[in-house]
Amino acid sequence: MSEQRNVAPSADELQAAITAIKEQEPEYGISRVCATLRANNPTWQLSEKRVRKFMGSLGLVQGSTEDDQSTAPKSSIAPGDFVHSLANGQLQVRYIDSVKGKGVFSARDFGKDINIFEETPFAWYPRWDTVSINYYNGSNSECQLCARDLEKRYRGLRSVRCSRCSACFCSNTCKNEAESRFHQIECVKNNPAFVNLADACHAWNWGAPMCAARAIERVLMEFEQGQEQGKHAWESLKAFTTMRTDVMDMRRKGASWFLYEEEYENRWKTTYSQMRDSLCPPPAACGLKQFEKIPKKIRDEMFSYNEWLNLIGKYSLNDQNGGLYLLQSCFNHNCNPNCVVVHPNDGMYRAIIKTLRPIKADEEMTITYVNPRDSVSERQQALRDWYISIVAPTTPYIAPLAPSDGMRIVGKTRAKAWLAKLENTPANGLKGSRPEDAPMGSRRGKAAAKLARRGKDTASKGASIKANPPIEVLLTKTQELMDDNRYDEALKCIVRAVEMDDRNTQALLLAAIIQLETGNIEPALNCLLKSVEIEPERGFEKYMYLGQIMIELESVKYFQLGVDAMRRDLDELPKDSNHAAVLKRKMAEAYVAMTEIYLTDCCFEDDAEKKCEEFLTNGLDIDPECPEIHQTMASVRLSQSRLDDARECLRKSMALWTEKDQNDPSQVPSFETRLALVRLLLEVDDKDQALGILERLQKEDDENIDMWYLYGWTYHLQSEGEDPTCDNDEKTDLLHSSRECFNQAIRLAGLIDYENDSLIDHARELVAAINAVLPPSADGEADNADENTMGEGQEGDAEDHDWEDSSSDDDVDMQS
């Protein structure tokens, strides 16, 4: 009889047992680890759920559920066959602890300047700055596998072409390797849809999706060789350190994430759709026979959106000059590394790990993830940004400088040149993974490009990195760009400011305004709410914008908070100052906004009328000369059927501005406020005043659709009036004018995407009614509404036609 399982192992016991199993059998998954634990410890009471959770906390498994949005990178140890074969038994990949995860250890002593192993990538797509445009067009200038430049440096090589397309390779070896890994699927003759993904990535200068697609293609091609080989390839791909790219970018960008979110998500979803269109499944011409035999669980996970984000994240965290290198990616970071990654002169495809100093058996082997030329604080911040935990004290020690020509170190001369200059940096053993600066970048590739740009010339000249300008300069520049309506440039400028200080409320406010001006409500809202959280007592502007964005009582709440903030500012200002007068006017306008909410959205609230009176009284107390207060009070009086009081309020409102300089925007209400005034004047049957306001509005903007509609409606009302002084001819003229204005509104609406369909429908109905009484032929007008929705190309002819008609009545011959 088997022993009863009634002992619950402690966390330390479970960790020690799991670590021992993973060291002996690194390819074991959760189920096999759990089974081994039970076999080795027959008295343990142990569930697979607890093993899964514990292995996850140790970084020994990688989640793959659709909702996996862990905020820490995950990795696992790849199957032994894939790793040990690369190092020829000279290295071991081991699990270290829950902080550092896995690491690489020497299996024997190594001397200095020894090439330990050479590795080709699991998947690779050349960095955009290392090849020409011809590579992406599949021409014969560069090898489609290793990207060797066949036209310049390798002119002596006899190139080999794909038998189906124009793709060219530097040798049969490269051609065969490409065919067995990706080209059989990517070939444009076999898979034309794949071009869409390549074109999109090229347009965005973004290599991550291309490398992610090639990783999937590698797995598919391995399954063509056999189920076990395919499963090993899939497990190896999953072993790369992983974090979803959306989680990485959100964490990396911090408060400025809202500025990127929509664009990035669009790119992720676009490339995911293009990948599925071309790879799930590949076209029959690709010749894959085993696709449907891939285990459904693997296939579903491989082509899920969650895994696509994971794959892009893998690239960002593990990229070495465009490639995912299985063994090289297992090396941990140290600012004083004992190894270095080098690339031979024949290209960036192959990677070699080379020792920088003697290494003892069982010593951990490390490389550097950051540029050793950077200062201590810069390196530490870069490592933290890349989710790397600093696990050793920051004590000074000597570290080598980066090579002058980037990562491509070859031979002793360059290695010694790298070690020639030294600087003090903190000693540490670091482990983790590094996201890109943005979805289109990469970690090691960016470092290589950065180092290469610095080069020998810049080093000899003592070149330095240009510091960011002070945030005040960026804010001033942003405001200038906004004043010039250059919002795209302003957005780039404010992004830099927010990244420098994501708690600067002025920067957040400007960012929100730019987003609102470009129609991006959600990011603007996020930025404003962040500003409220940081500084709730000051800065009334954010509350004014929130009041406009929100609806109903939520809107009233933010307007009231804005008024309270302005009142606090007002208490600190001299009473008769210009600044105080401006602030009082803004407070009055806020009371107007709150009143209008209770007149419309919240009109059914029990205290709606009381609130309107309260807000208007407060507004009059703070600024009795605000025209909008009196105009809004007229609207309230109309809702109360107090027609005479409404007329008096409108008279007071107009008296405050009609005699002032109409060319000074600060002296008159806004265009929209005066349009609203016209509507109120029509409600109190003051059509003459309404026409006077409309004449002024037409001079300011003769392409405003609402203005032309109100013009036509005013003339139409006058034609229907009972004025005894208005004879039939005058009424006919009024109908002519009404129809002309309505047709102008209809024509302008046809040129843009006008939202108020009911207004245009009403205008068409009135034109039809006028046409029934006064046919268009009577005055030669082109009054048909459909004719007046002509495009720009037809406008000139219509204008010429109108000119001929108008001049035909009273021609006067000109005598020379």
Side-chain angles (χ1 to χ4, degrees):
M1 182 180 294
S2 62
E3 266 188 90
Q4 185 177 2
R5 297 181 182 272
N6 55 13
V7 177
S10 67
D12 290 340
E13 290 174 329
L14 193 56
Q15 177 176 345
I18 291 175
T19 301
I21 293 172
K22 291 294 287 184
E23 286 179 351
Q24 294 297 319
E25 303 290 347
E27 71 275 13
Y28 273 17
I30 295 170
S31 297
R32 296 174 74 180
V33 168
C34 187
T36 306
L37 285 171
R38 287 170 175 168
N40 294 343
N41 305 276
T43 62
W44 281 9
Q45 185 180 13
L46 197 63
S47 68
E48 187 170 314
K49 181 178 180 180
R50 187 185 179 197
V51 173
R52 178 188 300 276
K53 183 177 181 180
F54 207 84
M55 290 178 67
S57 69
L58 296 175
L60 294 176
V61 293
Q62 179 172 299
S64 61
T65 59
E66 286 296 324
D67 60 351
D68 179 16
Q69 294 194 30
S70 171
T71 56
K74 299 178 180 179
S75 67
S76 59
I77 298 177
D81 293 346
F82 273 68
V83 174
H84 298 157
S85 61
L86 291 171
N88 297 319
Q90 300 184 93
L91 307 176
Q92 292 181 342
V93 179
R94 302 179 197 163
Y95 170 75
I96 301 173
D97 54 43
S98 59
V99 177
K100 296 184 73 175
K102 61 190 176 186
V104 179
F105 294 82
S106 60
R108 66 175 182 85
D109 292 345
F110 289 101
K112 183 180 177 181
D113 294 333
I114 301 297
N115 291 345
I116 304 174
F117 72 90
E118 178 180 313
E119 182 179 8
T120 57
F122 183 91
W124 188 73
Y125 198 80
R127 291 184 50 77
W128 308 99
D129 53 359
T130 61
V131 292
S132 71
I133 186 65
N134 294 323
Y135 179 88
Y136 312 107
N137 297 332
S139 70
N140 60 1
S141 62
E142 284 141 331
C143 175
Q144 293 295 294
L145 178 76
C146 66
R148 285 175 174 172
D149 188 340
L150 302 178
E151 290 184 342
K152 296 179 181 178
R153 296 180 61 192
Y154 298 95
R155 230 172 248 176
L157 290 175
R158 181 181 177 183
S159 60
V160 181
R161 289 185 176 276
C162 171
S163 60
R164 300 175 300 270
C165 66
S166 61
C168 193
F169 304 91
C170 62
S171 66
N172 277 315
T173 301
C174 276
K175 178 178 180 294
N176 294 336
E177 185 174 341
E179 286 284 339
S180 67
R181 292 190 173 193
F182 64 87
H183 188 68
Q184 184 174 331
I185 300 175
E186 281 187 18
C187 178
V188 294
K189 293 296 184 181
N190 292 344
N191 194 350
F194 193 83
V195 175
N196 297 328
L197 176 62
D199 287 345
C201 292
H202 185 211
W204 288 326
N205 194 26
W206 186 21
M210 291 301 296
C211 190
R214 284 193 172 176
I216 294 175
E217 293 161 10
R218 170 76 183 272
V219 174
L220 296 181
M221 294 303 296
E222 295 289 348
F223 269 107
E224 291 296 301
Q225 306 303 315
Q227 287 288 308
E228 287 303 313
Q229 195 165 334
K231 290 177 181 178
H232 271 205
W234 175 241
E235 291 174 7
S236 296
L237 178 57
K238 292 184 67 176
F240 282 100
T241 303
T242 302
M243 189 173 182
R244 275 178 51 144
T245 187
D246 54 343
V247 177
M248 283 195 304
D249 292 328
M250 181 172 61
R251 289 272 302 276
R252 178 72 175 87
K253 294 300 181 184
S256 63
W257 170 238
F258 71 93
L259 300 169
Y260 299 90
E261 183 176 8
E262 184 177 351
E263 177 189 357
Y264 284 13
E265 186 172 0
N266 173 61
R267 296 187 181 189
W268 296 327
K269 290 183 176 179
T270 297
T271 53
Y272 172 66
S273 176
Q274 292 167 337
M275 179 276 293
R276 282 190 62 93
D277 289 345
S278 57
L279 301 182
C280 185
C286 295
L288 272 63
K289 306 297 184 183
Q290 304 298 318
F291 183 83
E292 296 300 331
K293 296 181 181 180
I294 297 174
K296 185 176 185 302
K297 182 179 179 181
I298 294 178
R299 194 169 66 243
D300 290 347
E301 182 181 351
M302 188 188 310
F303 290 103
S304 68
Y305 183 59
N306 179 73
E307 187 60 24
W308 183 245
L309 296 179
N310 277 335
L311 286 171
I312 294 176
K314 288 179 193 290
Y315 178 87
S316 306
L317 297 170
N318 300 277
D319 164 39
Q320 173 65 44
N321 287 330
L324 298 177
Y325 295 83
L326 193 59
L327 184 51
Q328 178 269 335
S329 68
C330 297
F331 280 71
N332 287 332
H333 166 84
N334 198 301
C335 284
N336 187 20
N338 52 25
C339 296
V340 65
V341 182
V342 300
H343 294 275
N345 274 335
D346 61 351
M348 304 295 283
Y349 184 69
R350 293 185 299 131
I352 295 174
I353 294 292
K354 185 172 185 171
T355 60
L356 290 174
R357 57 180 172 79
I359 299 174
K360 297 293 184 180
D362 207 39
E363 181 181 346
E364 184 179 5
M365 310 179 79
T366 58
I367 59 177
T368 181
Y369 294 168
V370 296
N371 180 3
R373 284 184 174 179
D374 290 341
S375 67
V376 172
S377 59
E378 287 175 331
R379 274 177 285 167
Q380 288 181 333
Q381 185 57 52
L383 294 167
R384 291 189 184 99
D385 288 345
W386 292 334
Y387 309 97
I388 299 172
S389 302
I390 301 179
V391 298
T394 54
T395 54
Y397 74 102
I398 303 299
L401 288 177
S404 61
D405 62 344
M407 302 294 290
R408 300 184 66 179
I409 309 169
V410 181
K412 293 183 179 180
T413 303
R414 291 185 181 177
K416 289 180 179 178
W418 185 10
L419 295 168
K421 295 184 179 180
L422 305 174
E423 69 176 5
N424 291 331
T425 55
N428 48 31
L430 304 172
K431 171 63 183 178
S433 307
R434 295 74 52 195
E436 58 219 348
D437 225 10
M440 282 55 75
S442 62
R443 188 253 314 167
R444 291 178 183 138
K446 278 183 175 289
K450 182 178 178 182
L451 293 173
R453 285 195 297 270
R454 290 185 173 182
K456 294 180 179 179
D457 293 336
T458 57
S460 63
K461 295 177 182 178
S464 62
I465 301 175
K466 184 179 180 180
N468 282 327
I471 192 169
E472 293 78 11
V473 174
L474 291 174
L475 296 178
T476 301
K477 182 62 176 178
T478 299
Q479 189 62 64
E480 292 173 355
L481 293 169
M482 292 168 63
D483 292 341
D484 293 338
N485 294 321
R486 296 157 62 186
Y487 288 106
D488 289 343
E489 297 174 61
L491 180 60
K492 295 177 182 178
C493 194
I494 201 62
V495 164
R496 294 179 63 190
V498 172
E499 288 178 341
M500 289 173 64
D501 183 2
D502 63 5
R503 296 184 63 82
N504 186 299
T505 54
Q506 185 183 357
L508 292 171
L509 177 64
L510 290 176
I513 295 172
I514 294 169
Q515 294 290 359
L516 288 173
E517 290 289 345
T518 53
N520 299 315
I521 304 299
E522 192 66 26
L525 179 61
N526 294 338
C527 199
L528 292 169
L529 292 175
K530 176 71 172 178
S531 182
V532 169
E533 177 187 335
I534 295 169
E535 194 175 20
E537 298 296 320
R538 294 290 181 183
F540 68 88
E541 294 94 342
K542 57 178 173 281
Y543 292 114
M544 296 296 101
Y545 283 108
L546 283 168
Q548 296 176 57
I549 294 173
M550 300 299 187
I551 61 172
E552 300 179 355
L553 295 179
E554 191 75 6
S555 178
V556 174
K557 181 187 81 171
Y558 283 111
F559 277 126
Q560 186 61 61
L561 288 170
V563 169
D564 295 342
M566 283 187 276
R567 198 176 297 279
R568 285 189 290 270
D569 291 344
L570 192 61
D571 291 341
E572 299 175 3
L573 295 172
K575 292 184 178 180
D576 298 329
S577 66
N578 290 334
H579 192 181
V582 171
L583 210 54
K584 289 178 180 179
R585 179 57 53 89
K586 291 184 181 296
M587 291 174 68
E589 291 170 351
Y591 281 121
V592 167
M594 289 188 279
T595 303
E596 290 176 343
I597 292 171
Y598 272 100
L599 279 173
T600 54
D601 297 342
C602 297
C603 62
F604 292 109
E605 295 289 330
D606 294 338
D607 60 346
E609 186 173 355
K610 178 182 176 181
K611 285 292 186 183
C612 289
E613 296 291 349
E614 176 189 333
F615 292 144
L616 291 173
T617 300
N618 291 340
L620 283 173
D621 288 343
I622 198 71
D623 187 3
E625 295 189 356
C626 176
E628 287 87 345
I629 284 285
H630 296 281
Q631 182 174 316
T632 306
M633 186 171 287
S635 184
V636 173
R637 298 294 174 256
L638 282 171
S639 70
Q640 298 167 334
S641 300
R642 296 163 58 179
L643 196 61
D644 291 338
D645 291 339
R647 289 194 183 98
E648 179 61 21
C649 291
L650 291 175
R651 185 194 65 77
K652 289 181 179 178
S653 176
M654 289 186 292
L656 291 169
W657 63 271
T658 50
E659 299 303 323
K660 295 182 178 179
D661 184 1
Q662 301 297 300
N663 296 320
D664 184 356
S666 65
Q667 299 293 317
V668 297
S670 68
F671 194 96
E672 292 300 323
T673 299
R674 284 177 284 160
L675 277 180
L677 172 61
V678 170
R679 296 185 179 94
L680 292 173
L681 289 169
L682 294 179
E683 286 195 57
V684 299
D685 198 28
D686 195 345
K687 293 182 278 292
D688 291 338
Q689 286 279 18
L691 282 175
I693 302 297
L694 287 167
E695 288 174 3
R696 292 181 178 181
L697 292 175
Q698 183 186 356
K699 292 176 181 178
E700 294 178 26
D701 182 4
D702 63 357
E703 293 187 352
N704 186 282
I705 297 169
D706 287 18
M707 184 270 296
W708 283 112
Y709 169 82
L710 288 173
Y711 235 143
W713 182 234
T714 305
Y715 283 131
H716 192 272
L717 291 175
Q718 283 189 327
S719 72
E720 292 182 336
E722 297 180 357
D723 185 354
T725 63
C726 184
D727 57 23
N728 289 336
D729 288 342
E730 289 180 350
K731 289 187 177 182
T732 300
D733 289 340
L734 289 171
L735 287 175
H736 282 318
S737 298
S738 176
R739 179 167 54 191
E740 181 181 352
C741 293
F742 282 137
N743 279 332
Q744 182 71 347
I746 295 168
R747 185 187 72 82
L748 290 171
L751 298 176
I752 65 172
D753 185 18
Y754 186 63
E755 296 179 352
N756 195 344
D757 292 334
S758 60
L759 183 145
I760 297 302
D761 290 342
H762 188 228
R764 292 183 189 279
E765 292 174 7
L766 292 171
V767 168
I770 295 172
N771 288 343
V773 177
L774 190 68
S777 58
D779 61 355
E781 293 176 331
D783 289 312
N784 185 280
D786 292 331
E787 292 177 8
N788 281 277
T789 59
M790 65 186 71
E792 292 182 8
Q794 297 169 293
E795 287 184 49
D797 295 339
E799 290 171 0
D800 291 344
H801 177 66
D802 289 341
W803 176 80
E804 290 174 7
D805 287 345
S806 63
S807 63
S808 62
D809 295 331
D810 301 300
D811 284 4
V812 177
D813 290 336
M814 306 272 304
Q815 301 290 335
S816 58

